[in-house]
Structures are given as C-alpha cells and as structure tokens.
Amino acid sequence: MDITERFLNYTQFDTQSSEDSQSVPSTAKQLVFAKYLKEELEREGLSDVEMDDKGYIYATLKANTKKKTPTIGFISHYDTSPDCSGANIHPRIVKNYDGGDILLSEGIVSSPTKFPELRYHVGEDLIVTDGKTLLGADDKAGIAEIVQAMCYMRDHNEIEHGDIRVAFNPDEEIGMGAHHFDVERFGCEWAYTMDGGDLGDLEFENFNAASAKIHIKGVSVHPGYAKGKMINANRLAVEFASMLPAEETPEHTEGYEGFYHLLGVQSNIEQATLSYIIRDHDRERFEDRKDFIEKCVAQMQEKYGDDVISADIKDQYYNMKEKIDPQMHVIDIVLHAMQQCGVQPRVEPIRGGTDGAQLSFRGLPCPNIFAGGVNFHGPYEFVSIQVMQKAVDVIVKICELTAEYND
C-alpha cells in the first residue's frame, strides 16, 4: 500500500472530537478508527501492539542492530477538529497542479489568490476536499507517514535502526490528547509529533495556552416592567467582550504575538457563557493575559454584583522551548535528516500547540515535524502527496541517524 492509498483510506473515518464531552475519548466514533489502526499495525508486523481502554495505541518496530541506540518515538493524533464537519469526506486528487483555481464543487473554489500557499505546490499532486468538509490531514497525514515509514524500514533491513516506538492518540484537537498518554509505557528517550504543516516545518516553540469560560447570570423580567430589575445576560456578554483589546485577536496577530480568541457564545436573557482561548509565547505576557481577564470580571462584578459574573480559567499547555533547549541534539538530528532528504528546514514558532508540548513537560522531549497539511480545520484543507512522501523519508532518516548517535 502506498502513502496515497493509506491516507485516503483513513479519511473515510469520521473522528471529530468534542469539547462538550466528558468521556475519553470525547467521541465514540474515534474508537472505531483506533481499532482499525491497531489491527493495521498488527497486520503490518509491528510488535507490542496494544490499545488501552481510552483509545491510546502503542507499538514497536524492533531494532535490527546490536548497537546501543536510543529508543525514540513518533506520535500523531487521529481525531479531527470540531470546527468543521469530518463526516462523509470526499477527497479528490488534483494531479500536476497548474497553479490556478481549484473547483472543489459548484460555487466553491480554492484559489491561490486567497490561499497563496497553493503556489508552493505547482507541479505536485494535491489531495483536496469537495468544499463541504475538512480533509483530515491534521493529523491523519501524520499517521499515514509514520505507518508508511515503519513499513519501509521493515522491508529494508539494510537501514540500521534501534527500537522505534509509535503512538496514536485521540482528542488532541480539544487539548486533551496528552492527558492520558502513558509516557512510561511509551519508554522513549525522546519523540517527535508528526503534526506540523507544510514541507520543512520544524517547531519546538509553541504558545502557552489557557481556556477561559465567562459565566454570566441574568434576571429575566417582562420588558415592560424591567426597570431596575432586569439583568440582561446577552447585553453583559457583549459588554465583557468589548473590554478585551480588539487588535489582540487571531485575525490581527502573527509571529510571536499573542491573542484572546472568542470561540463561541451561548446566550439568552437569563444566562450567557463566553468561551475563550488565551495564547502567548512569552510566559510572563501569558500570565498577564489571564490576569487581565480576571480584572475585567472584577470590574463587572463591582458594577453588577459578585454573583452575576465569574470566570473559569484553566491552563492547557506551556511553551516546550524551555524543555527542548537543554537537549538540542533532538533538533540537530532532524535538521540533518531534512538536509540529507533534500528538505529545506523552516524553524518557526507554532501559533498553536501540539501534544508534544504537554509531553515535553512530562519528561518526553517532543518537537513537531511537518506532516504536509495546509489550511487545517476547514473545507479548503489540502495536502501534497509529494510532501507526505518527503515526510516518510525524513522519518526513516531520523531513525537511521539516531542509530549512529551513540557510535
């Protein structure tokens, strides 16, 4: 099975996670794909294949050398984003892309004018959607690449490598993917998430991240007799949102700039909930952002009463850079692997996070490598087949170079 067939097969599984669920995984349909992956790894001849009751899958490609080598791992998540439907995906291959507009379906066009990233893939074969769902390259491309690389090394015994561990997990898209990851069971000195974007991406800096839910309790009274009695939760929600800096949102920031992002509002006169995510690369500014949310709540409590508004702020993950910097050999190996595979590295901070960020703080250094997907979480998502193959090549070369690390 080649990389294209493997990936297209994976896209037929609906694996959206859900922020509203308390179960693990957050949706039962993720387990359907997890069971398929476990069986596939067994069919492909990997060892120690196991899946726990929460859908976390672990397996090993056994060493083919007697040299003492570090045990390393590769990780990808199999859930897709709740932001866009992942059901009934209809992928299509655009062969030898010519650089122009791509008609996804009637009235829906993916254009390099709006998505200039397309211009970097002229002459390549692109897998696109029909414009009605996401594609799922985030992160099924990563899974396909890892499995393909393991199969390649299985069939090419001349490539010396130590024990290689692989792991696939649910619920990364809702920030929960690493919460139940068994680092001890995984048993690696370091690992890599195959969850990055376009060709050459290598990331070991990410946002510090928190979620914030603002709860507002209103009082509903007939509007004709509401003076001095009504507290309209809808209006207070608008008032709170207007207190946050208008220019510090995702649509106005880039690079190392942080933001407040309003994910959604559930509101009526009697109650309202605003759901935010808070992001910043700098730890001090990150703490300041959380404090600012608390100050805004305090101002409104002073105005309307302590029991009218409250905030529930929870840290999600931190910037992995402080854990990677002392172990830069983990990065050096990737840089050499990319260069030997003809890939120009692009080392940039992640304007987001990966499971690797949380895992790095749990003792498993885990930077992020490109998987090839572009325009994640929406119907204009695409992935280049040639870039996926390059990711396979890089994984294989990392394993080869790691076997030489202790020579």
Side-chain angles (χ1 to χ4, degrees):
M1 183 182 298
D2 65 16
I3 187 72
T4 305
E5 182 182 357
R6 198 178 300 278
F7 173 71
L8 290 175
N9 188 28
Y10 292 169
T11 65
Q12 300 311 294
F13 292 87
D14 178 8
T15 58
Q16 276 185 295
S17 47
S18 171
E19 290 182 316
D20 299 325
S21 171
Q22 300 301 313
S23 64
V24 182
S26 62
T27 54
K29 57 191 176 182
Q30 291 184 68
L31 287 176
V32 177
F33 185 43
K35 291 174 183 176
Y36 174 86
L37 282 174
K38 177 180 180 291
E39 293 169 358
E40 181 179 53
L41 293 174
E42 291 169 340
R43 288 195 305 271
E44 297 292 9
L46 272 72
S47 304
D48 309 322
V49 181
E50 53 186 337
M51 184 176 79
D52 67 18
D53 61 347
K54 294 180 172 60
Y56 287 70
I57 304 166
Y58 307 93
T60 307
L61 180 68
K62 290 293 188 181
N64 65 355
T65 179
K66 293 182 179 180
K67 293 189 297 185
K68 182 180 179 181
T69 63
T71 298
I72 65 169
F74 294 89
I75 303 167
S76 289
H77 65 90
Y78 53 75
D79 66 313
T80 60
S81 171
D83 295 345
C84 182
S85 174
N88 301 313
I89 294 173
H90 297 289
R92 176 168 62 91
I93 299 175
V94 179
K95 291 186 176 294
N96 192 23
Y97 171 58
D98 63 7
D101 289 354
I102 301 173
L103 181 65
L104 301 179
S105 59
E106 186 175 354
I108 304 175
V109 175
S110 183
S111 171
T113 303
K114 186 173 182 179
F115 302 107
E117 300 87 353
L118 283 164
R119 296 193 179 103
Y120 297 113
H121 298 281
V122 173
E124 298 175 10
D125 302 319
L126 307 185
I127 304 177
V128 300
T129 76
D130 63 357
K132 298 175 182 177
T133 68
L134 48 68
L135 179 62
D138 180 15
D139 192 22
K140 289 170 182 170
I143 298 174
E145 291 153 6
I146 292 170
V147 175
Q148 199 71 20
M150 297 305 108
C151 292
Y152 184 86
M153 287 188 287
R154 175 202 65 197
D155 296 338
H156 291 79
N157 201 49
E158 72 276 10
I159 300 173
E160 284 194 321
H161 60 83
D163 281 348
I164 309 298
R165 294 280 280 162
V166 303
F168 305 132
N169 61 267
D171 291 340
E172 188 270 353
E173 295 292 359
I174 59 172
M176 301 294 290
H179 284 209
H180 300 280
F181 192 102
D182 193 330
V183 172
E184 184 175 353
R185 174 188 285 186
F186 198 42
C188 294
E189 293 187 35
W190 70 84
Y192 302 97
T193 49
M194 299 299 299
D195 192 20
D198 214 341
L199 181 68
D201 282 0
L202 172 59
E203 301 155 328
F204 58 96
E205 295 183 68
N206 60 277
F207 277 139
N208 296 290
S211 64
K213 287 190 180 292
I214 312 303
H215 303 285
I216 300 172
K217 295 180 180 178
V219 176
S220 181
V221 179
H222 188 288
Y225 308 94
K227 186 174 181 179
K229 302 173 186 175
M230 177 184 286
I231 299 176
N232 189 333
N234 294 304
R235 190 178 60 77
L236 268 63
V238 173
E239 182 177 344
F240 179 87
S242 69
M243 297 173 75
L244 301 186
E247 297 301 310
E248 297 182 22
T249 59
E251 58 267 40
H252 293 104
T253 54
E254 62 183 354
Y256 285 94
E257 296 171 336
F259 56 73
Y260 306 92
H261 179 37
L262 180 59
L263 293 176
V265 180
Q266 294 179 319
S267 182
N268 55 39
I269 293 173
E270 289 193 323
Q271 59 184 6
T273 300
L274 298 92
S275 298
Y276 285 91
I277 57 173
I278 304 166
R279 300 289 188 264
D280 210 299
H281 282 92
D282 183 87
R283 186 66 174 265
E284 185 175 345
R285 290 197 302 266
F286 173 64
E287 298 298 333
D288 288 344
R289 288 185 182 281
K290 292 188 292 180
D291 289 344
F292 184 70
I293 291 279
E294 297 279 15
K295 288 176 183 177
C296 291
V297 170
Q299 289 179 31
M300 291 191 66
Q301 286 175 334
E302 185 176 350
K303 185 175 180 180
Y304 296 106
D306 290 352
D307 60 342
V308 171
I309 183 169
S310 62
D312 181 16
I313 301 176
K314 295 180 179 178
D315 286 0
Q316 296 173 311
Y317 51 82
Y318 303 109
N319 191 341
M320 74 171 87
K321 186 176 188 295
E322 64 182 85
K323 299 297 182 181
I324 300 295
D325 278 351
Q327 304 192 61
M328 283 301 290
H329 63 276
V330 174
I331 301 300
D332 292 339
I333 288 172
V334 184
L335 292 174
H336 291 148
M338 286 188 182
Q339 290 162 357
Q340 291 185 33
C341 292
V343 175
Q344 181 63 42
R346 301 192 312 174
V347 180
E348 297 180 347
I350 310 172
R351 286 186 59 79
T354 71
D355 289 333
Q358 296 181 47
L359 294 173
S360 293
F361 278 85
R362 292 175 55 196
L364 180 66
C366 198
N368 192 40
I369 299 174
F370 72 94
V374 182
N375 296 335
F376 293 157
H377 298 190
Y380 298 98
E381 183 182 7
F382 70 89
V383 67
S384 162
I385 293 172
Q386 285 79 6
V387 173
M388 284 198 295
Q389 184 56 54
K390 279 292 186 183
V392 173
D393 297 342
V394 168
I395 292 171
V396 172
K397 185 58 69 173
I398 288 171
C399 296
E400 186 177 2
L401 293 176
T402 301
E404 302 170 1
Y405 177 69
N406 280 350
D407 279 359

